[in-house]
């Protein structure tokens, strides 16, 4: 019994394999009594799982949803429309992102000079980069799935953004992993990330 | 019109503010989405809250659905991430569900089959899996999704999903076999 056929077996059971994959599993089943026994187990397991009744919120949940939708107001704008104050990142150019970073850093420095660090209300004018570990602009053709995988692998989460220029602030989930996160984000620069700024600790 | 096309049309109407379309989509997908959330959380009330949050987000984001995946896949992706957020907020760590030492230490399949027919054992053993293993096997067996769809929802490569389900299956069989063995007469 091959590892490949074993990995495909659950999807053979749920009927989602293509013809070539089914043929591969069929051939492996013909050769292996163990795999045939496993097929019976998985078939029974799936049947058991699907037979289980789950009490969902049903109409009560729908009523609650409608109440909150009414409070929330109308749904999002139609596909393709963007809120007037947001520039879609796919329209950005590198120089715009760079300019935004220079401006943000300049503003932050101005505020630092104008306010004593201990003053109540002291914060960076660049908006919340305090608490963020990185500021990134994602590549226009980076998909949501690619970005999500990158963030998960790097152990970071989006702490703010998108800014008006489409920049995001990222924070590491575990401070001890900041070095690894930086390396992973740097490795993605030029592919999924157009611009990366590492915020000094 | 396929089921997915019908659901995509509902999303398009929702983007224009059609609440009846939201109600129709909720009725079509509420049960599978809730079952998926519930399979990853022990608390039915928390699962209900997350279901509510998922459909609120679907309502708010309907206009941003680009049709690059099935509607169900898109909504399961939202639910997947919300459950991860819930686990993270609670500081939950996945201490269970270690990968088996080797593949050939698996239990006797016939024993598992007998155990697999008992709902209580199945529920218990699913509960011993790590969240990502449980989520993958839930989508494969509750919702009959392809490994490609599951990978898209979880945001990982297809090979990762095959490996997760491979290990989840081994762990389930080991757990089921162990429970049956403990109940067997001496």
């Amino acid at each position: 019994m091959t590892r490949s056929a074993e990995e495909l077996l659950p999807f053979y059971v749920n009927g989602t394999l293509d013809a070539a994959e089914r043929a591969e599993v069929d051939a492996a089943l013909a050769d292996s009594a163990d795999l045939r026994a496993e097929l019976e187990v998985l078939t029974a397991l799936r049947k058991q799982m699907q037979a289980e009744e789950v009490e969902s919120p049903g109409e009560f949940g729908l009523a609650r949803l409608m109440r909150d939708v009414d409070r929330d107001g109308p749904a999002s704008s139609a596909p393709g429309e963007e809120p007037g104050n947001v520039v879609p990142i796919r329209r950005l150019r590198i120089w715009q992102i760079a300019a935004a970073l220079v401006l943000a850093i300049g503003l932050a420095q101005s505020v630092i000079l104008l306010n004593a660090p201990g003053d109540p209300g002291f914060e960076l004018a660049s908006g919340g980069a305090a608490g963020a570990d990185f500021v990134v602009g994602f590549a226009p053709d980076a998909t949501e799935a690619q970005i999500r995988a990158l963030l998960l692998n790097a152990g970071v989460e989006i702490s703010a953004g998108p800014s008006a220029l489409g920049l995001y602030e990222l924070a590491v989930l575990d401070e001890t992993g900041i070095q690894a996160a930086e390396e992973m984000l740097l490795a993605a620069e030029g592919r999924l990330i157009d611009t990366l700024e590492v915020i000094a600790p | 019109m396929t089921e997915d096309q019908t659901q995509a049309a509902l999303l398009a109407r929702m983007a224009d503010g059609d609440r009846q379309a939201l109600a129709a989509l909720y009725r079509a997908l509420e049960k599978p989405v809730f079952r998926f959330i519930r399979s990853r959380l022990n608390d039915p009330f928390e699962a209900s809250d997350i279901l509510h949050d998922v459909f609120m987000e679907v309502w708010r984001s309907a206009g941003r659905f680009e049709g690059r995946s099935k509607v169900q896949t898109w909504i399961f992706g939202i639910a997947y991430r919300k459950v991860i957020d819930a686990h993270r907020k609670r500081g939950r760590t996945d201490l269970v569900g270690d990968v088996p030492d080797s593949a050939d230490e698996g239990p006797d399949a016939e024993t598992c089959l007998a155990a697999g027919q008992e709902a209580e054992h199945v529920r218990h053993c699913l509960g011993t899996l790590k969240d990502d293993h449980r989520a993958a096997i839930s989508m494969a067996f509750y919702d009959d999704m392809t490994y490609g769809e599951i990978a898209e929802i979880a945001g990982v490569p297809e090979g990762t999903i095959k490996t997760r389900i491979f290990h989840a299956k081994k762990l389930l069989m080991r757990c089921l076999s162990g429970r049956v063995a403990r109940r067997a007469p001496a």
Side-chain angles (χ1 to χ4, degrees):
Chain A
M1 135 169 75
T2 66
R3 167 79 181 243
S4 171
E6 265 201 278
E7 285 183 346
L8 290 175
L9 197 61
F11 301 98
Y12 182 92
V13 168
N14 77 7
T16 59
L17 293 182
D18 63 29
E21 291 168 327
R22 283 193 72 81
E24 181 187 343
V25 178
D26 279 332
L29 283 169
D31 283 347
S32 170
D34 284 348
L35 198 63
R36 289 194 295 276
E38 194 170 314
L39 173 66
E40 284 188 47
V41 175
L42 293 179
T43 303
L45 186 63
R46 172 174 168 271
K47 192 175 167 190
Q48 180 64 61
M49 286 173 71
Q50 294 202 341
E52 192 174 350
E53 279 294 317
V54 174
E55 270 195 44
S56 64
E59 291 300 311
F60 289 109
L62 180 58
R64 178 187 174 197
L65 182 67
M66 288 305 176
R67 181 200 65 194
D68 286 1
V69 161
D70 286 339
R71 284 182 189 162
D72 206 44
S76 62
S77 54
E81 289 180 14
E82 300 283 350
N85 62 340
V86 174
V87 179
I89 191 153
R90 61 181 172 273
R91 294 187 208 149
L92 291 177
R93 296 287 179 271
I94 295 293
W95 66 266
Q96 289 174 298
I97 295 171
L101 284 175
V102 169
L103 180 62
I105 293 165
L107 282 172
Q109 286 170 340
S110 304
V111 174
I112 290 167
L113 289 173
L114 288 171
N115 295 278
D119 280 355
F122 168 79
E123 67 176 343
L124 298 177
S126 51
D133 298 301
F134 309 96
V135 177
V136 300
F138 294 109
D141 57 350
T143 65
E144 187 272 342
Q146 289 172 319
I147 292 171
R148 182 166 12 112
L150 173 65
L151 299 183
L152 286 171
N153 288 335
V156 297
E157 64 182 1
I158 294 173
S159 55
S163 68
L165 282 173
L167 300 174
Y168 291 82
E169 293 175 7
L170 307 181
V172 290
L173 297 170
D174 175 2
E175 282 301 324
T176 60
I178 192 162
Q179 184 65 35
E182 183 178 342
E183 286 168 9
M184 206 157 287
L185 293 173
L186 281 169
E189 210 170 9
R191 293 182 301 110
L192 302 179
I193 291 179
D194 266 343
T195 179
L196 169 66
E197 183 196 2
V198 180
I199 308 291
Chain B
M1 191 181 266
T2 66
E3 196 173 52
D4 184 57
Q5 287 168 333
T6 303
Q7 291 168 0
L10 290 173
L11 274 182
R13 285 170 49 197
M14 286 163 58
D16 289 332
D18 186 339
R19 295 165 75 260
Q20 291 312 309
L22 171 63
L25 189 69
Y26 176 92
R27 289 192 175 107
L29 289 174
E30 175 248 359
K31 267 194 185 296
V33 175
F34 181 77
R35 186 164 59 178
F36 173 58
I37 297 167
R38 184 75 181 86
S39 74
R40 299 171 59 202
L41 291 169
N42 287 327
D43 183 347
F45 298 105
E46 187 178 15
S48 299
D49 285 345
I50 290 178
L51 178 78
H52 177 77
D53 290 347
V54 167
F55 277 93
M56 284 301 291
E57 185 166 331
V58 169
W59 169 252
R60 291 172 183 142
S61 309
R64 290 196 283 277
F65 177 70
E66 295 176 345
R68 286 188 292 189
S69 63
K70 287 167 66 177
V71 172
Q72 176 173 295
T73 307
W74 183 64
I75 294 176
F76 267 66
I78 295 171
Y80 185 87
R81 291 187 296 279
K82 288 205 178 287
V83 174
I84 289 176
D85 288 344
H87 285 323
R88 192 176 291 140
K89 276 178 195 162
R90 285 208 307 262
R92 175 189 163 130
T93 51
D94 286 307
L95 298 174
V96 292
D98 288 337
V99 173
D101 297 334
S102 65
D104 61 0
E105 287 180 6
D108 171 61
E110 296 301 322
T111 310
C112 292
L113 176 60
Q117 291 165 340
E118 295 183 44
E120 182 197 333
H121 292 320
V122 172
R123 263 196 308 274
H124 169 84
C125 291
L126 279 172
T128 65
L129 298 179
K130 280 170 63 173
D131 180 56
D132 52 5
H133 286 177
R134 190 165 56 241
I137 205 129
S138 293
M139 288 186 271
F141 280 179
Y142 278 134
D143 304 294
D144 287 344
M145 290 187 184
T146 67
Y147 54 76
E149 288 168 340
I150 299 172
E152 193 176 341
I153 288 166
V156 296
E158 290 179 354
T160 303
I161 291 303
K162 287 181 190 170
T163 302
R164 281 182 188 174
I165 291 189
F166 176 84
H167 289 307
K169 180 185 73 178
K170 294 281 177 197
L171 289 162
L172 271 178
M173 287 183 171
R174 177 173 295 183
C175 174
L176 289 167
S177 178
R179 284 174 72 84
V180 169
R182 278 197 296 277
R183 283 168 47 127

